[in-house]
Every structure is written in C-alpha cells, then in structure tokens.
Amino acid sequence: LAKEIAHHDKLYYQKSAPTISDAEYDALRRRNEEIERRFPALVRPDSPSKRVGAKPESGFAEVRHAVPMLSLNNAFTRADVEDFAQRIRRFLSLKDDDAIELVAEPKIDGLSASLRYEDGEFVLGATRGDGTVGENVTANLRHVRDVPHTLKGRAPAVLEVRGEVYMARSDFAALNKQRARDELPLYANPRNSASGSLRQIDPNVTAERKLRFFAYAWGEISEAPGDSYWHFLERLRHWGFHVNPKAKLCKSPDAALAFYDAIAGERAALDYDIDGVVYKVNRLDWQQRLGMVSRAPRWAIAHKFPAEQAQTVLEKITIQVGRTGTLTPVANLAPVTVGGVVVARATLHNEDYIAEKDIREGDTGIVQRAGDVIPQVVEVVKAKRPKSAKPYRPPETCPCPLETPTAREPGEAARRCTGALACPFQQFERLRHFASRDAFDIEGLGHTHIETFRDEKLI
Ligand code: IVH
C-alpha cells in the first residue's frame, strides 16, 4: 500500500499526470491511516502518513522549506466536520457554549507554492515537493501575474507567503485548443496544466501560460502574523496579494457548513476548479495550541465535494485493446455534461465489474467524473432498463481484423487477446507507447501519424 501511494504521489507531483481520481487516492490514504491506527507497530519509517507529496525530480534546484509545507486532513460528510469541531473543543478544553469561529474558503484545485520576501522583495519561490524539500521555481513564479515582485506598505523583514497556483478554466480551455492545433498532448484538467506550466525549465514558457495565485498561509515570518487568520488575510490583501474574495468568517461550524452548501451551488459557475471547502480556526493562539499531527494541522480541515455525476444512456459497449492485449470494455454514451465537461465514453473496467453491476447496452447509467482522468459508470438505473436489454457477453474474439481468440487466465480480472504481436491493434498500441512521452518521447510520432503510416503500409 505504501509503495502504491508513493507511485501515485510520483505521478501526481512529478509527472503532473495522475492515473487515478482524487477520490481513489484519498481512499488509499485512508486505508493506510486506518491500518496504522489499528496496528501502530506496523507504521513503516517510509509510511505515506509521514510524507506530503513526493520528492521533486531533478531539473530544478532543491529548496528546503524553513517551515514545512503541510497538507490537510479531509472530511467527506457533515458528521466528519462535526467531529472536527468536537476534537477542537476537547483539545482546547472549551465549554459547550464557547464559540469556535472558522474561516471558510474554497479549496482551489491547483498546486501550492511558497513565496519568500526579504525586506519586501520577492527573492525565492518554491513548489511544495514533499513538504520539506521543494523545487526552486523562482524564475517561473515571477511570471505569475498575481505574484507581487515588491510588497506594498510595511511588511515583515522575512515573510513567506503560501498559496495556490492555478489556471482559470477559460485560460485552460484556450491553452488546450492551441495544443490540439499544434498536435501536442492535451492537459487533462486545469490543475495538471497549472502544474505542468509552472514546472517548465524555460521560464518563457511559463510566462505564456496565464497562471494565477491565491494567497492563504504563511511560512517563515519575522513578526507575529496577528491575532486572527481573518486579519492576516486582510494584511495579505494590503501587501498586494490576491485573497479569494469568497473567503468567509463563520461564527460557528454550522455557519461554515452553510457556506459549503452555498459554494457547492456556485461551483459550476466559477472560473476556476475547486474540490471542496477549507475550514480554518480563526484564532491564531488556538491554532498555535492545536498544532499539527503527522502531516496536517489540527486547526484546519478540507471538506471535499462528492464526485460529480450525471445520468445518460449507455448506447453500446465496445472493446478497447491495450498494448499488452488487455481487453477493456468501454461504455459509449449519449454525450452528457458532467461537472462542466462533455463525456461520451466511460470505462467499465472489466467483465466482472459489468457482471457485478449488471450493466447492459441500452441501460441508463450514472456516470461519474471524480475531478480528473477517466470517467466511469458507477451503476445503472434498473427502472429505466428497456425490455430488450440483454446481459453483456464478453467477446470470444479480439475486435481486430484477425479476430484472434481471447482468453482469461484463472485469477486474472482481464480478458486478453491471444494474438500478441500478430494482432494489429496491439501492434498499434505498442508503437504508440514506445513513441510516447513516458518512453522514447519521439516528438511528432503520435496517434495520428502512426495511423497514417500504418494505413500507408509504411510500418
Ligand atoms: S491551507 C497548513 N487553504 O489543498 C494549511 N490549502 O489538500 C495548508 N489548498 O496543500 C493548506 N486551497 O495545496 C489551504 N484555501 C486553501 C487551499 C488549500 C487549496 C490545497 C493546498 C494544500 C492542499 C491540501
């Protein structure tokens, strides 16, 4: 499990190309935490619970953060948020009628960065990396429009401001449109795009990308930040930073939950992706006393939004042939908008998944997009099933022109094409993989060209 989480950290933080959804990732983390809670003796020295993210890859110089960059614990339900408030009450020995003020703010789906100012001048900018060591991306951050080069007014001699670098949805759409024209691989979502754009070796490339920054925390600071987080946000604005205008001071956890509902309603209309709401204890003396546990503060929590879902008709189940012959059933859908993105295809994983959920052609399915990557059909609405719908039958032959037989080895979830290199579909996928960014990175030899060369019998 630790290895698996480390693998996904690497894909997310270093490659900006995750292969699982945030929800699936959170589930892995939670499972790890659950195991560690029950069996403390099993906590490994390299446990994911002791780390945030992944060590940066070479390319940029390393920056050791003077104060570690923390992550947040997640809440998924209202009960989780009530538990959070209850824990604070207990930890601080508060009375039942003592009010807990929380600042609630949208959780921006970008990547965090730390900006260091000395005597009001921007001197160093870094990514979070593993929380302890990040990458020096000063030159690139200078090109982020919301990052002030010189602070306004009187600022502490040393001031590290932390926040989220993100790309607006409109800028993301324009960038991908241009990349499609240039036959470059598309970014999966604004977050990956922001991360890829900030971590460019050539700062001129970053300059062309329209990145933005919301400030929300401090690292090293040579003066006390103030009495309350709310007041600190005001100071950030005064120094010239952008603070999310939606941030709200809530008099109680109930008021914070009401804010969550309101933001959930506005979510689709915002020009940036958010994946939840962050609640932070407003009193800084309380924050200090609450401190942190492993990688996250006790005084804050991220209340995540559930995955976005929509209903649509599953018109046909087709088979996708992978590089190694794995046959993956794919749902071809009547196009539907899920969380602002049009979805026409969704994965059905494998034939056991289809059997277990009894998914049939003609069914109306619930399609889910959890933040990113591949949409999936989570269940079908049996009441809407047409009478003619027949149970799915796994293919006996590969959909390729050779129609080679398929086989499923005992103990394996996947059915495979037995044609190996003779199967033209496998050939195609193997070559595509060979030329791809993660392998030989042959620029210009993408899907379209391989298809042309194959059709012209040049390969
Ligand atoms: S506060 C010590 N506030 O979410 C507290 N984080 O899942 C540090 N994020 O690493 C984080 N919006 O990259 C905070 N308003 C917000 C945020 C926010 C997005 C990100 C940040 C953090 C991650 C944790």
Side-chain angles (χ1 to χ4, degrees):
L1 187 56
K3 254 196 216 150
E4 195 177 346
I5 293 172
H7 169 71
H8 290 298
D9 280 343
K10 199 168 160 187
L11 291 175
Y12 182 105
Y13 289 104
Q14 296 178 354
K15 309 272 185 221
S16 304
T19 54
I20 58 171
S21 69
D22 289 358
E24 286 167 311
Y25 176 81
D26 288 339
L28 291 178
R29 278 241 181 221
R30 256 179 300 164
R31 174 143 182 258
N32 186 65
E33 279 159 22
E34 204 51 50
I35 293 171
E36 291 186 348
R37 199 168 14 249
R38 286 173 60 190
F39 307 102
L42 294 184
V43 177
R44 302 155 53 104
D46 64 345
S47 163
S49 61
K50 299 190 192 247
R51 275 184 298 110
V52 179
K55 269 246 165 61
E57 243 184 0
S58 56
F60 295 99
E62 290 192 348
V63 174
R64 186 161 286 276
H65 299 299
V67 176
M69 288 183 78
L70 303 178
S71 187
L72 294 171
N73 286 323
N74 291 327
F76 297 95
T77 61
R78 303 177 95 79
D80 290 346
V81 177
E82 280 150 18
D83 285 350
F84 163 71
Q86 214 43 49
R87 277 197 302 276
I88 292 171
R89 220 170 259 294
R90 229 177 301 125
F91 197 94
L92 298 174
S93 313
L94 301 181
K95 291 196 289 297
D96 282 348
D97 53 358
D98 282 331
I100 302 177
E101 273 188 355
L102 297 172
V103 174
E105 51 194 35
K107 185 171 186 298
I108 311 295
D109 208 0
L111 72 152
S112 47
S114 186
L115 315 173
R116 186 180 176 91
Y117 291 82
E118 290 176 3
D119 299 321
E121 294 296 322
F122 177 50
V123 293
L124 181 68
T127 62
R128 178 171 68 179
D130 67 356
T132 309
V133 176
E135 294 159 310
N136 184 334
V137 287
T138 312
N140 296 355
L141 280 166
R142 279 192 203 283
H143 292 296
V144 175
R145 58 168 80 178
D146 302 343
V147 170
H149 292 189
T150 307
L151 299 183
K152 289 195 214 132
R154 205 202 58 79
V158 175
L159 170 66
E160 278 178 9
V161 170
R162 291 170 176 180
E164 206 77 357
V165 175
Y166 67 99
M167 188 177 278
R169 283 178 175 162
S170 47
D171 294 328
F172 166 73
L175 174 65
N176 257 356
K177 213 165 158 190
Q178 184 56 46
R179 288 176 74 84
R181 264 186 249 130
D182 297 344
E183 290 215 7
L184 291 168
L186 301 187
Y187 285 114
N189 53 49
R191 182 191 58 210
N192 293 345
S193 172
S195 164
S197 302
L198 185 65
R199 297 165 69 260
Q200 291 284 333
I201 300 297
D202 178 359
N204 292 316
V205 180
T206 311
E208 286 166 16
R209 310 278 174 86
K210 296 198 179 97
L211 295 177
R212 297 160 199 258
F213 182 80
F214 274 133
Y216 55 64
W218 66 90
E220 194 182 348
I221 184 164
S222 56
E223 291 170 19
D227 291 337
S228 71
Y229 178 64
W230 189 246
H231 181 221
F232 177 72
L233 290 182
E234 229 164 73
R235 294 180 77 192
L236 283 173
R237 278 198 201 96
H238 176 74
W239 290 324
F241 292 97
H242 287 246
V243 170
N244 195 311
K246 303 253 169 228
K248 190 166 180 209
L249 177 59
C250 303
K251 295 287 170 201
S252 66
D254 276 346
L257 285 170
F259 175 84
Y260 174 91
D261 292 337
I263 287 290
E266 285 178 46
R267 184 181 183 191
L270 296 175
D271 193 28
Y272 46 83
D273 279 0
I274 60 173
D275 58 348
V277 169
V278 183
Y279 308 128
K280 297 172 186 173
V281 168
N282 188 36
R283 274 180 63 166
L284 296 188
D285 58 336
W286 284 4
Q287 284 195 8
Q288 189 98 42
R289 276 169 62 196
L290 285 159
M292 54 169 218
V293 57
S294 57
R295 63 193 184 102
R298 277 199 198 85
W299 45 263
I301 201 158
H303 189 181
K304 297 295 244 341
F305 290 133
E308 293 178 278
Q309 297 188 331
Q311 279 193 20
T312 190
V313 174
L314 193 166
E315 291 173 341
K316 200 168 169 49
I317 298 176
T318 54
I319 297 291
Q320 200 168 20
V321 183
R323 164 169 70 91
T324 57
T326 307
L327 304 177
T328 307
V330 175
N332 293 259
L333 310 163
V336 64
T337 308
V338 192
V341 173
V342 178
V343 174
R345 285 157 66 83
T347 182
L348 293 169
H349 304 288
N350 54 52
E351 57 204 48
D352 287 349
Y353 184 83
I354 299 179
E356 188 193 314
K357 311 243 165 185
D358 187 16
I359 298 172
R360 305 182 185 187
E361 286 182 352
D363 269 341
T364 293
I366 295 174
V367 182
Q368 174 168 307
R369 238 188 92 235
D372 40 23
V373 261
I374 310 164
Q376 52 177 342
V377 175
V378 286
E379 61 178 305
V380 292
V381 186
K382 297 268 164 65
K384 293 192 180 174
R385 171 170 288 167
K387 286 217 174 61
S388 58
K390 294 192 186 59
Y392 171 75
R393 288 209 4 243
E396 281 163 19
T397 58
C398 176
C400 79
L402 291 189
E403 297 183 18
T404 39
T406 67
R408 187 175 166 188
E409 297 291 326
E412 277 206 30
R415 175 172 295 274
R416 286 171 195 283
C417 155
T418 56
L421 267 178
C423 164
F425 285 10
Q426 283 192 54
Q427 284 172 9
F428 184 87
E429 289 304 324
R430 279 172 201 238
L431 185 53
R432 198 160 74 102
H433 173 72
F434 177 82
S436 74
R437 201 149 49 135
D438 289 338
F440 272 63
D441 195 12
I442 305 174
E443 253 175 70
L445 190 57
H447 192 278
T448 325
H449 282 119
I450 296 178
E451 220 163 46
T452 312
F453 295 159
R454 181 198 57 195
D455 296 347
E456 300 281 334
K457 305 228 169 355
L458 293 169
I459 298 175

